[in-house]
Amino acid sequence: MIREREWILILVLAAVAVAVPLFGDGYYTKFATKVIIFGMAALAVDILLGYAGLVSFGHAAFFGVGAYIAGMLINAGVVEGIVVLAAALVGAALIALVIGALSLRTSGLYFIMITLAFAQMLYYVGQSLRAYGGTDGFALDQRIEFGGLLDPNDTTTFYYVSLALLAVILFLCSRFLRAEFGVVLRGSRDNAVRIEAVGFPSYKYKLVAFAISGSIAGLAGALLANLNQYVAPPGMLNWEISGELLVMVIFGAAGTLLGPVVGAAVFLFFAEILSEITEHWMLLFGPLLLLRVLLVRDGLYALLQKAIAK
């Protein structure tokens, strides 16, 4: 029954996502693209939080690395989309491997703090890049291209490209998280000692998950850089990005893959509405997060599944 509800909800969400540009102007399409991109980044966090039980406060690092790699390549004249996005993905994965190799030797609060420390180090590296605007960042000369077949400067085209990439990532993640890799990862989350005892090196599995998570966050950062055609440390590498991604996962539901995408949509919707009321919109958003934790224990994704079932 749960499986049926999940498929129905997936089909409904997919239909809504495909139809968005048909019912809104450029502003709403661009907003929906932003939801997709942050949903992708939140999904990256969910791989660690929901499946490995690791609370990372450093995903802004991978998000920002992907954005900077994309921006630097585009301004250097490399505009082929596959090359730029692949470079951002691989670059973020390599950074994640280094950070993960060190961070995963700790646990609990120490893991949270060391991931935050690495992210802040990269934030200050971004600020030190005077050739790329330092704290002010830099503008992209153009968006990526795909062999001349698609016009990425068209808002609707870029939306569908981002949606297609999210769909591919969701499919791939669902496959490997339901395979042996995902079983070991969840087992390591629940009881790492037992997993080690039966012969599975939990550290290596977590490190691979960390690298995959970082690569997805890097891809999301590259897409956001192209969407805004602008890259700067405050909007790409700041620790607040990591916090917002965690909130998105909590809102939607950890360990569901689609839940973080739903959480990203809700978070960005309220951020857009409440920021029109006051610049201190987080003061108004805080009680909403508290209500979600107290009243909707399984997250908004589970709430939507129940609503679909009725």
Side-chain angles (χ1 to χ4, degrees):
M1 183 63 181
I2 295 176
R3 185 70 174 170
E4 292 177 2
R5 288 203 309 248
E6 189 172 3
W7 272 113
I8 292 171
L9 181 55
I10 289 171
L11 291 174
V12 170
L13 291 175
V16 171
V18 170
V20 164
L22 304 178
F23 298 99
D25 58 19
Y27 172 81
Y28 294 109
T29 303
K30 186 173 181 179
F31 177 79
T33 308
K34 188 177 178 181
V35 168
I36 288 172
I37 292 170
F38 274 94
M40 188 185 298
L43 184 156
V45 174
D46 186 38
I47 291 174
L48 293 184
L49 178 62
Y51 293 88
L54 299 170
V55 182
S56 169
F57 231 97
H59 267 60
F62 318 127
F63 191 77
V65 164
Y68 267 86
I69 289 175
M72 289 175 179
L73 286 175
I74 290 171
N75 285 3
V78 181
V79 296
E80 176 55 45
I82 295 176
V83 174
V84 172
L85 296 180
L89 189 149
V90 172
L94 292 175
I95 294 294
L97 270 175
V98 174
I99 293 177
L102 298 172
S103 302
L104 288 170
R105 298 187 182 279
T106 64
S107 61
L109 181 61
Y110 300 103
F111 177 82
I112 296 172
M113 296 308 296
I114 197 169
T115 54
L116 174 60
F118 275 117
Q120 287 301 100
M121 287 168 60
L122 287 173
Y123 172 78
Y124 290 115
V125 169
Q127 283 190 322
S128 69
L129 297 175
R130 301 302 176 192
Y132 293 96
T135 304
D136 297 327
F138 63 101
L140 275 63
D141 295 336
Q142 66 176 87
R143 286 179 180 165
I144 49 176
E145 298 177 355
F146 293 91
L149 300 175
L150 300 173
D151 179 13
N153 291 313
D154 179 65
T155 305
T156 302
T157 300
F158 192 76
Y159 170 80
Y160 282 123
V161 168
S162 301
L163 182 62
L165 287 171
L166 176 62
V168 170
I169 288 171
L170 282 168
F171 174 75
L172 293 176
C173 286
S174 67
R175 295 292 294 173
F176 77 75
L177 287 172
R178 284 182 177 139
E180 180 186 284
F181 179 86
V183 174
V184 174
L185 204 59
R186 290 190 293 274
S188 180
R189 173 196 64 191
D190 298 333
N191 194 324
V193 175
R194 184 175 296 176
I195 287 295
E196 292 280 355
V198 297
F200 291 101
S202 64
Y203 173 83
K204 292 181 180 179
Y205 277 82
K206 288 179 180 179
L207 182 58
V208 172
F210 200 96
I212 292 171
S213 176
S215 67
I216 295 172
L219 178 61
L223 289 173
L224 186 64
N226 277 273
L227 177 66
N228 296 334
Q229 289 190 260
Y230 186 74
V231 177
M236 298 292 183
L237 288 163
N238 198 337
W239 68 270
E240 291 180 4
I241 298 293
S242 300
E244 289 175 357
L245 293 177
L246 280 170
V247 170
M248 292 173 190
V249 175
I250 294 169
F251 246 105
T256 59
L257 292 183
L258 260 179
V261 181
V262 174
V266 173
F267 178 89
L268 293 174
F269 172 78
F270 278 109
E272 192 75 12
I273 298 298
L274 297 177
S275 61
E276 293 292 328
I277 300 173
T278 173
E279 62 177 319
H280 305 294
W281 61 272
M282 274 292 191
L283 290 174
L284 302 177
F285 185 80
L288 294 175
L289 180 60
L290 184 61
L291 288 174
R292 180 286 189 225
V293 174
L294 294 176
L295 302 179
V296 190
R297 291 297 181 88
D298 296 327
L300 297 179
Y301 184 67
L303 195 64
L304 284 176
Q305 282 185 318
K306 293 176 183 177
I308 290 293
K310 294 180 180 179

